[in-house]
Amino acid sequence: VKPGGHVFFATINRNAKAFLFAIVGAEYLLKLLPRGTHEYAKFIKPSEMAGMCRAAQLDVAHLVGMTYNPLTKIYSLNQDTDVNYLMACSRPE
């Protein structure tokens, strides 16, 4: 990333709630995704993602959670980073 550039990440947190919602819920119960789409060992905690970004000389600018309502089929941004989250980073000039 060039100085002054931005990088955005969207991934899944690694915890029991994320396992239940992303794998059990989305793949097996609701069948929103094919079985095997997610691999729990590859989920990344926000603290780990922030550490990797800092190691790459990126500043973490914003962290926000994302939830999905299967009844309304609507995604929304909020403060709940327990399952899905987005992280915005930038490289200092």
Side-chain angles (χ1 to χ4, degrees):
V1 176
K2 293 180 182 180
H6 301 279
V7 182
F8 301 90
F9 300 98
T11 193
I12 303 173
N13 201 339
R14 190 177 63 250
N15 58 39
K17 182 177 176 181
F19 177 83
L20 288 173
F21 280 63
I23 296 177
V24 176
E27 293 182 23
Y28 290 85
L29 298 177
L30 299 175
K31 299 182 181 347
L32 295 172
L33 303 162
R35 289 183 181 188
T37 296
H38 298 108
E39 190 173 330
Y40 180 75
K42 293 185 178 178
F43 291 1
I44 304 170
K45 293 180 180 184
S47 59
E48 295 168 341
M49 177 70 78
M52 289 185 269
C53 290
R54 284 191 296 275
Q57 287 98 37
L58 296 172
D59 293 333
V60 176
H62 197 63
L63 173 67
V64 66
M66 184 172 68
T67 56
Y68 176 70
N69 183 326
L71 300 176
T72 61
K73 298 183 180 179
I74 294 175
Y75 284 94
S76 59
L77 299 178
N78 52 52
Q79 297 304 309
D80 183 3
T81 60
D82 288 348
V83 181
N84 294 292
Y85 66 92
L86 296 96
M87 186 176 288
C89 300
S90 62
R91 179 169 306 273
E93 300 249 1

